[in-house]
Amino acid sequence: MMHTMKEKISNMASSAKEHVNIGKAQLEEKLEKAPASTEEEKELAHERKKAKEARAKMELHQDKVKHIQEKMRAKQPQYLHGYGYDLDHDPTLERDETTAPPYHHTAHPPTHGHH
C-alpha cells in the first residue's frame, strides 16, 4: 500500500513536470513565431515545439518505468540479494565470455590451423 501511494505521488509529480515542459514549449513556439517572417520559419518553430512536447512525454514514460521498477525492487525478498538472484539484472541480455565457448556447444571447436 505504501509503495503504491509513493508510486502514484511520483507519477503525479512526473505528470506535472510534463505539463510544465509542454507549456514551456508552447510559449517558446509563440516567442519564436512572433519575429518569424516566412512560412518556413513559422513551420520550424512549430516542429521544434512538437519535438519538445514529444521529449516531455518520453521523459514522463521513462519516469513511470523507474517508479514501477522501484516498487518492484521494494517487493523483492531481501534474502535473494547476494545469492545470485539479482532480479533487476537479466543475464540473458549479456554474454558471459569467461565461461561460454566461442562456438556453439554442439559444434566442433575451431582447429586454429592444426589439422
Side-chain angles (χ1 to χ4, degrees):
M1 177 71 176
M2 181 65 175
H3 298 292
T4 303
M5 186 62 101
K6 181 182 176 192
E7 180 187 2
K8 286 182 181 181
I9 291 169
S10 296
N11 286 342
M12 286 173 36
S14 296
S15 181
K17 183 174 112 179
E18 176 201 19
H19 289 292
V20 167
N21 287 340
I22 288 175
K24 183 179 169 187
Q26 291 171 344
L27 178 62
E28 288 172 355
E29 177 192 25
K30 289 179 183 177
L31 293 173
E32 194 175 339
K33 273 188 173 179
S37 56
T38 67
E39 203 51 46
E40 289 83 11
E41 289 173 327
K42 291 178 183 178
E43 184 180 355
L44 181 62
H46 181 69
E47 290 302 321
R48 283 186 179 142
K49 177 198 83 156
K50 288 170 69 176
K52 289 176 183 177
E53 289 175 343
R55 186 178 309 123
K57 289 179 185 295
M58 179 191 69
E59 289 173 359
L60 170 67
H61 291 290
Q62 288 174 333
D63 286 348
K64 284 185 173 184
V65 166
K66 187 175 78 173
H67 302 155
I68 292 169
Q69 287 174 331
E70 288 171 357
K71 179 179 159 185
M72 290 171 59
R73 191 174 300 118
K75 288 184 175 182
Q76 290 178 3
Q78 296 303 312
Y79 63 85
L80 293 179
H81 293 284
Y83 292 99
Y85 296 99
D86 186 0
L87 301 177
D88 294 329
H89 176 262
D90 186 354
T92 60
L93 298 178
E94 293 181 12
R95 283 188 56 198
D96 185 8
E97 295 186 21
T98 59
T99 58
Y103 51 88
H104 192 272
H105 70 282
T106 60
H108 294 287
T111 60
H112 298 292
H114 305 283
H115 296 288

